[in-house]
Amino acid sequence: MRHIARTMSVLVLALVFSLSTFAAQPEDPKRNFDVRDDRSKSSALVKERHLDRHGEKQKGKKEKVEQAMKKAEQRLAREIAGLHVQQSERTGAPEHVAVKHGAGKLARGASNDRERTLRKFLQDNAELFGLERNEVAQLVKNADYTNPAGNMGWVRLQKKIKGRNVFRGELSAAFSATGELVAVTGELPAAIDDADAKDEPLVSAAEAVVAAAASVGVAVSAADLQLKESDGNTFVFSGGPFADETKVELQYFPLDVGAVELAYSILLFVDEDEAYSFVVGAELPDVLYRKSIVDDQTQPATYRVYDGDSPAPLSPSTATPGSGIQGIGIPRTLFTLVSEGPSFNDLGWITDGGNTTTGNNVDAGLDLVSPDGIDA
């Protein structure tokens, strides 16, 4: 991160990857894309080549599972008025399940047992998500918390295959203060038989880095990369023409309903001003996913931020914990930062044409009731 961002106005490292990808722009060889929903001919060919390896069995399974999903959605819609189910173009499974405009709940529950409520909902509606009932119990909980106000709670479950992470294979659930299940969102893969997932890569981690770099015009050979650390599942390389170490992890990449492939997740720092997140196949060395994790801007922008070490700084201080001493709150300060490279920066924290942020650089909130937008 330190190698990318020189100032707040020049380059911003994206800390949270978007759940959606940008539309394909063939004239831009470094565009963001995901072969599962990219509209370019090259992505279509890559996806087809990988799916062909799964054969007719996968196609038949997909058709059967999609029919079961549709029936399960229709059944649940009869039970829950205003049910809204949005399918993912990437996994084929539901990406968002909720009640329109927050007018109801998906399931009753207790505020002290949100995980149980979520798992029961998934088991009762396993076909809707393309899951087997026994799969629900195997999902790993990696978050369970309430917001500071105590009026919303969250549980997140993660899919693992043979102990390895699944690319974006998580499901997050929102709960009311009383434990009612309000919404479920995520990209859990559908109809995946873990036994069919390959254990060993046919492509080495170094070869995957070479393929990733080549896709953005950087030439490097596997011999240029020195393996610094490895546990057989994660790899850290030094060397090559890169600005930082290259981190690689073996994961499973869901290609479609009933199809998953072993792949490498790669974080590549091309130079101080260019960095990407990749997924490269570990069975066929194709780039399956690419996203730039750097955003730029061309115009000076004003940021309203706290210029101390907290909104109520008390440092240095000799106060001990429990003494009841509280620092005096400070207002936020406006900083106007001028881009160091206006000839190439065009999209930063503030889009060109804007000049100020609201809050601490982001507007965030809940949209549970009509009309669309952050609720008051």
Side-chain angles (χ1 to χ4, degrees):
M1 200 178 296
R2 64 183 183 280
H3 297 290
I4 299 178
R6 293 176 179 170
T7 69
M8 190 182 303
S9 68
V10 181
L11 297 171
V12 179
L13 180 65
L15 297 178
V16 180
F17 295 162
S18 172
L19 286 178
S20 61
T21 57
F22 298 105
Q25 300 293 331
E27 68 276 7
D28 179 7
K30 296 183 179 182
R31 74 185 194 282
N32 299 326
F33 73 92
D34 186 322
V35 296
R36 297 172 297 180
D37 61 2
D38 188 54
R39 298 295 184 262
S40 71
K41 184 176 181 179
S42 59
S43 288
L45 291 173
V46 169
K47 182 179 179 180
E48 183 180 358
R49 179 163 62 247
H50 283 255
L51 285 177
D52 281 348
R53 300 173 65 248
H54 293 266
E56 293 300 320
K57 177 182 177 183
Q58 181 267 330
K59 294 178 182 178
K61 185 177 187 180
K62 176 182 178 179
E63 182 178 353
K64 181 179 179 181
V65 169
E66 286 180 338
Q67 290 175 354
M69 283 182 179
K70 191 64 178 177
K71 290 181 180 178
E73 180 181 343
Q74 293 170 346
R75 176 188 59 78
L76 190 59
R78 291 193 293 268
E79 299 174 6
I80 302 176
L83 178 73
H84 171 70
V85 177
Q86 179 180 332
Q87 300 296 125
S88 168
E89 286 189 66
R90 293 169 290 278
T91 65
E95 184 174 353
H96 185 69
V97 180
V99 179
K100 292 179 182 177
H101 305 303
K105 57 186 175 294
L106 296 175
R108 296 184 181 276
S111 58
N112 62 349
D113 203 351
R114 292 182 291 266
E115 180 186 357
R116 182 179 179 182
T117 300
L118 174 57
R119 290 189 189 273
K120 184 178 186 304
F121 177 78
L122 293 176
Q123 287 178 334
D124 291 344
N125 299 280
E127 287 188 327
L128 175 63
F129 293 89
L131 300 172
E132 298 289 341
R133 288 177 60 88
N134 64 335
E135 284 185 80
V136 176
Q138 297 167 7
L139 298 175
V140 179
K141 181 178 72 173
N142 60 13
D144 187 348
Y145 60 95
T146 57
N147 67 351
N151 57 4
M152 287 290 289
W154 302 88
V155 174
R156 188 169 63 241
L157 302 179
Q158 181 182 17
K159 168 76 172 177
K160 286 183 177 287
I161 298 176
K162 298 181 178 179
R164 292 188 174 115
N165 292 331
V166 175
F167 180 71
R168 289 182 172 173
E170 293 183 334
L171 199 68
S172 295
F175 292 84
S176 68
T178 56
E180 296 172 330
L181 179 59
V182 177
V184 178
T185 185
E187 292 189 5
L188 275 186
I192 301 301
D193 187 345
D194 293 7
D196 291 339
K198 297 292 190 296
D199 292 298
E200 298 297 329
L202 302 177
V203 177
S204 73
E207 289 170 335
V209 173
V210 171
S215 77
V216 289
V218 177
V220 63
S221 70
D224 295 330
L225 304 173
Q226 290 84 51
L227 183 62
K228 291 184 61 178
E229 301 173 28
S230 175
D231 59 6
N233 198 59
T234 58
F235 309 82
V236 178
F237 292 98
S238 62
F242 306 125
D244 205 343
E245 296 175 339
T246 301
K247 297 178 174 63
V248 183
E249 180 187 357
L250 269 174
Q251 296 185 352
Y252 286 98
F253 185 80
L255 278 169
D256 201 347
V257 174
V260 68
E261 286 198 9
L262 193 59
Y264 292 102
S265 173
I266 301 171
L267 187 60
L268 192 67
F269 293 82
V270 174
D271 57 36
E272 292 185 352
D273 299 330
E274 189 175 358
Y276 298 90
S277 172
F278 292 95
V279 175
V280 176
E283 300 175 42
L284 292 176
D286 292 314
V287 177
L288 304 174
Y289 171 91
R290 181 177 67 216
K291 180 171 175 61
S292 171
I293 57 173
V294 174
D295 279 339
D296 309 322
Q297 71 183 69
T298 61
Q299 299 176 353
T302 300
Y303 299 88
R304 188 184 301 275
V305 298
Y306 293 105
D307 62 355
D309 53 13
S310 82
L314 188 66
S315 59
S317 173
T318 58
T320 58
S323 62
I325 297 177
Q326 172 64 52
I328 297 174
I330 60 174
R332 284 178 285 190
T333 302
L334 291 175
F335 287 93
T336 297
L337 303 177
V338 180
S339 170
E340 294 180 358
S343 63
F344 61 82
N345 291 340
D346 58 10
L347 182 62
W349 283 7
I350 299 178
T351 303
D352 285 352
N355 191 45
T356 59
T357 60
T358 56
N360 193 16
N361 300 317
V362 68
D363 276 330
L366 297 173
D367 180 17
L368 299 179
V369 299
S370 182
D372 289 343
I374 296 175
D375 298 340

